[in-house]
Amino acid sequence: MKVTRYSFCFTLIFTISLVMMISGIVTLSYANHGENLAGEYLSGADLRDADLRHADLRDADLSGADLSGADLQTANLRFTNLAGADLSGADLSGADLSFAYLSGADL
């Protein structure tokens, strides 16, 4: 696969944005339909009102994350760690929560 200047810049900007989001500097509030965040470490992330429809979050660590009001319709949350996460008001319609760890999560 040929790496272009455009793809490199996009990857760099996305990585910086993700680091800033995880560290709480910014929140994820833009539409990312179908975003692939499988296996990502997002523990404690501020994802209030995030648009994560169709997102692949399987095996991700979202422990203690604030997902209140988030749109998680048809999201893949299989094997996701949601321990202590705030899911109050989140739309989980059609989401796959098979084997998700929900201990202490606010539903």
Side-chain angles (χ1 to χ4, degrees):
M1 182 170 124
K2 183 178 178 183
V3 177
T4 64
R5 177 181 278 183
Y6 172 78
S7 64
F8 175 76
C9 290
F10 177 79
T11 302
L12 181 62
I13 290 168
F14 178 77
T15 303
I16 291 169
S17 298
L18 188 58
V19 168
M20 290 173 66
M21 179 195 66
I22 291 170
S23 57
I25 297 170
V26 296
T27 61
L28 184 64
S29 60
Y30 51 90
N32 270 330
H33 310 299
E35 188 67 39
N36 183 357
L37 296 169
E40 294 293 330
Y41 179 78
L42 299 168
S43 180
D46 183 352
L47 299 169
R48 287 174 289 180
D49 302 312
D51 187 346
L52 294 167
R53 287 177 283 170
H54 320 296
D56 185 358
L57 292 158
R58 73 192 135 83
D59 295 312
D61 183 355
L62 289 163
S63 57
D66 186 351
L67 290 155
S68 57
D71 189 347
L72 291 159
Q73 292 179 62
T74 69
N76 182 353
L77 295 163
R78 292 175 58 87
F79 298 99
T80 300
N81 181 3
L82 292 162
D86 183 357
L87 292 159
S88 58
D91 187 350
L92 294 163
S93 305
D96 185 353
L97 289 158
S98 303
F99 307 103
Y101 187 64
L102 295 163
S103 178
D106 183 4
L107 301 171

